[in-house]
Amino acid sequence: MSSDLSRFGVTMERMLLHQLDEVVRERGSTRSAVLSDLARAEVVRTLVQKPVQAVGTLTIVYDHHVRDVTERLTEMQHELGDKVHSTMHVHLDADRCLEVIVVRGRADALRAAADRLIATRGVLHGTLELFAEQRAENGRARGASSHTHAEPHSHPIPRKPRKKR
Ligand code: NI
């Protein structure tokens, strides 16, 4: 066991452990790896509740026939200034629009802004996903994103292009 690993005992309900083992089996993983992933995600989730610098996406679906909804959403985004990095708009069908708004700023301010946008009349669905810009204590969790890096995956946030060598 490497020196930066610690072993500790965990007590949990037998049934829960059984269910956890199912997840472990499905992933072809280990209890330690799955519990570490959970712990890392929870650390990040707690971190972005604090006023730390964060980036993320707010995804909303709204009915553009609802009076003034488009204007209101646009106005709110203008008021947010540089907290709104960019916005992608998709006309889903005759009624509904999807907007993905990339936000950057203090986590608490972003959360408050997202709550206002989601609460706007005409908005049918809203999800905010934030990533703390600060690195987690564990160097593995680069950018302290709320997903784990155990498997290859795509990043929802555009990264800086790598320098050509
Ligand atoms: Ni549209």
PDB file of all heavy atoms in Angstrom, residues 89-91 97, ligand 1:
ATOM      1  N   HIS A  89     -27.989  28.382 -27.863  1.00  0.00           N
ATOM      2  CA  HIS A  89     -29.445  28.300 -27.938  1.00  0.00           C
ATOM      3  C   HIS A  89     -29.843  27.276 -28.996  1.00  0.00           C
ATOM      4  O   HIS A  89     -29.327  27.297 -30.105  1.00  0.00           O
ATOM      5  CB  HIS A  89     -30.004  29.679 -28.301  1.00  0.00           C
ATOM      6  CG  HIS A  89     -31.500  29.733 -28.280  1.00  0.00           C
ATOM      7  ND1 HIS A  89     -32.194  30.336 -27.258  1.00  0.00           N
ATOM      8  CD2 HIS A  89     -32.419  29.250 -29.145  1.00  0.00           C
ATOM      9  CE1 HIS A  89     -33.493  30.222 -27.499  1.00  0.00           C
ATOM     10  NE2 HIS A  89     -33.659  29.567 -28.645  1.00  0.00           N
ATOM     11  N   VAL A  90     -30.758  26.381 -28.623  1.00  0.00           N
ATOM     12  CA  VAL A  90     -31.253  25.380 -29.579  1.00  0.00           C
ATOM     13  C   VAL A  90     -32.777  25.475 -29.607  1.00  0.00           C
ATOM     14  O   VAL A  90     -33.424  25.434 -28.555  1.00  0.00           O
ATOM     15  CB  VAL A  90     -30.832  23.947 -29.150  1.00  0.00           C
ATOM     16  CG1 VAL A  90     -31.362  22.925 -30.149  1.00  0.00           C
ATOM     17  CG2 VAL A  90     -29.326  23.837 -29.024  1.00  0.00           C
ATOM     18  N   HIS A  91     -33.371  25.625 -30.800  1.00  0.00           N
ATOM     19  CA  HIS A  91     -34.824  25.614 -30.919  1.00  0.00           C
ATOM     20  C   HIS A  91     -35.258  24.158 -30.953  1.00  0.00           C
ATOM     21  O   HIS A  91     -35.130  23.488 -31.975  1.00  0.00           O
ATOM     22  CB  HIS A  91     -35.276  26.316 -32.204  1.00  0.00           C
ATOM     23  CG  HIS A  91     -34.678  27.674 -32.375  1.00  0.00           C
ATOM     24  ND1 HIS A  91     -34.838  28.679 -31.446  1.00  0.00           N
ATOM     25  CD2 HIS A  91     -33.912  28.201 -33.361  1.00  0.00           C
ATOM     26  CE1 HIS A  91     -34.201  29.755 -31.863  1.00  0.00           C
ATOM     27  NE2 HIS A  91     -33.624  29.486 -33.008  1.00  0.00           N
ATOM     28  N   CYS A  97     -37.405  25.940 -26.216  1.00  0.00           N
ATOM     29  CA  CYS A  97     -36.023  26.290 -26.494  1.00  0.00           C
ATOM     30  C   CYS A  97     -35.132  25.699 -25.402  1.00  0.00           C
ATOM     31  O   CYS A  97     -35.535  25.636 -24.244  1.00  0.00           O
ATOM     32  CB  CYS A  97     -35.825  27.800 -26.451  1.00  0.00           C
ATOM     33  SG  CYS A  97     -36.843  28.678 -27.629  1.00  0.00           S
TER      34      CYS A  97
HETATM   35 NI    NI B   1     -35.546  28.987 -29.553  1.00  0.00          NI
END
